[in-house]
Amino acid sequence: MTLMLITLLMGIVALVLAQSGRLSRLGGTVYFQSTSQSIVNDLQQHLPILLLGVTGAEQLDLALRLPLQIETRKRDFILKMKLSSPYTSLNVNTLLDQNGTIKTPNVAAFMRIFSHYPIESPDIFLNLLLDTIDIDTAERGVDTEISLTRPNAKNGSIANEREFNRIIERYLHLTQDRAVLSIPWGRYIGFDGDKMDFNALNAETLSLILTKSSPEKIRSLTRFRTKAFSTKEEVIAAEPALGSVFDTYFFIYAPGVSYTLLCDAVITENTHVEHITFQYNLLEKRVHHVEFL
C-alpha cells in the first residue's frame, strides 16, 4: 500500500509540472475548453503513472477511494478528480443475451426491485425494457416498442440514464402510475459491463441477489467491509451463499483484464470552472468519451 501511495504522489507531481508548464505557455490566448482538452491529453499521458501501482483488486480499491487534487502554488489552477467504477450495479442490458434470449437470473434479480418499491404494472415496465434492449421491433405488449413512435430511440441497448428515463416516461404514459418515480434507480441499475465488480458493489444491488442473507451481512460485504476482497474464494468464505451465484453476477479485478474507470474532474483556472467527465481503460491506457458538462 505504501508503494501505491508513493506511485500516486509521483504521478501527481509529474502532472503538476506538466500542467503548470502548459498553462504558462497557453496564457490567455485560447478558449478555456481548448485548455481543458489539453488537460485531458495530459491526464491520458500521466494516468498510467498514477495507476502504475494497481496490480490487483486491493490496489484498485485504494485508487478509487483516494481523491486526487493538485494545484499551482499561486492557486490559479486547481484540478480535483475522482475515479469510480461503472460496475457497481445490475446492468439492465444483461437482461437479454446476445441472441435476444431472456437471462432468467438477471431478470429475476431486477424484478425484485419491485418487491421493495411496488408499482402497478411491473410486467409492462419489463416489456418496455426488453423491447428496447432487443434489436427487433416486435412488441411484447401494447405500445411497449418505443422506437415505433420515437424515431430518435434506437434498439439494441440502453446506454445511459437519459435513455432509461425514456422508458420511465413511456411507462407513465401507459399507466399513469407515478409510483415508479419513487424508485431510487441509481442504487440498483447501471449500463456497463457483463458482471459487477464485487468490491465496487453497493448493498442495495447485492440484496437483490442474496435474498436470504441478513441486511447486516450484506452491509458487511459492501458498505462496511474493512478491505477489498482479492479473490472469489475469499468472497465465498465470507458468505457461503455466494458460492452458487458468484460466477453469474460478479468478478474480482485482476491485472491484464479490460477495466474501465469513470473519471470526474473539476478544473478551476482563476475564476473559470470547467467540469469534465471521461472514461479511462486500465488495460488500453486510453481515454475515451470525454464530455464537457
Side-chain angles (χ1 to χ4, degrees), residues 71-230:
E71 59 187 57
T72 55
R73 291 181 180 178
K74 296 180 180 180
R75 294 183 58 83
D76 54 356
F77 172 81
I78 300 172
L79 168 63
K80 296 181 180 179
M81 186 169 70
K82 183 75 174 71
L83 304 176
S84 61
S85 170
Y87 313 114
T88 61
S89 45
L90 188 69
N91 180 0
V92 291
N93 295 297
T94 62
L95 300 183
L96 296 175
D97 65 18
Q98 293 181 344
N99 299 317
T101 303
I102 290 176
K103 296 172 71 171
T104 303
N106 292 43
V107 169
F110 176 83
M111 293 299 280
R112 290 187 192 110
I113 295 173
F114 302 124
S115 65
H116 298 292
Y117 300 92
I119 63 173
E120 181 181 304
S121 303
D123 289 341
I124 291 177
F125 197 92
L126 178 63
N127 286 338
L128 285 164
L129 276 176
L130 298 178
D131 276 342
T132 303
I133 298 167
D134 67 22
I135 59 174
D136 62 50
T137 55
E139 293 193 299
R140 289 177 166 81
V142 178
D143 292 333
T144 56
E145 181 59 72
I146 297 175
S147 65
L148 294 177
T149 54
R150 294 188 64 167
N152 61 333
K154 296 181 180 180
N155 285 13
S157 67
I158 301 168
N160 49 44
E161 184 179 1
R162 182 177 62 255
E163 293 185 10
F164 185 79
N165 285 339
R166 290 177 180 169
I167 293 167
I168 294 176
E169 290 170 5
R170 176 58 64 88
Y171 176 81
L172 286 169
H173 175 75
L174 294 176
T175 66
Q176 287 75 55
D177 175 22
R178 296 184 64 82
V180 72
L181 298 176
S182 68
I183 301 176
W185 292 107
R187 298 181 190 174
Y188 294 103
I189 66 162
F191 311 99
D192 294 283
D194 294 329
K195 298 180 181 182
M196 293 171 275
D197 179 355
F198 195 86
N199 287 308
L201 186 67
N202 62 63
E204 289 82 2
T205 303
L206 186 56
S207 71
L208 301 178
I209 297 163
L210 292 184
T211 57
K212 295 182 180 180
S213 297
S214 69
E216 292 76 18
K217 169 59 73 173
I218 289 173
R219 287 194 291 269
S220 73
L221 294 168
T222 55
R223 189 173 299 146
F224 300 134
R225 63 176 173 79
T226 56
K227 70 179 190 69
F229 293 98
S230 57

Side-chain angles (χ1 to χ4, degrees), residues 30-37 39 267-269 272-274:
V30 294
Y31 291 107
F32 189 83
Q33 192 169 97
S34 298
T35 305
S36 300
Q37 182 61 58
I39 293 170
I267 301 161
T268 304
E269 184 185 6
H272 192 105
V273 179
E274 190 79 42

Side-chain angles (χ1 to χ4, degrees), residues 64 82-86 192 260-264 278-280:
L64 295 178
K82 183 75 174 71
L83 304 176
S84 61
S85 170
D192 294 283
T260 296
L261 293 175
L262 304 180
C263 305
D264 190 293
F278 58 93
Q279 297 178 7
Y280 177 78

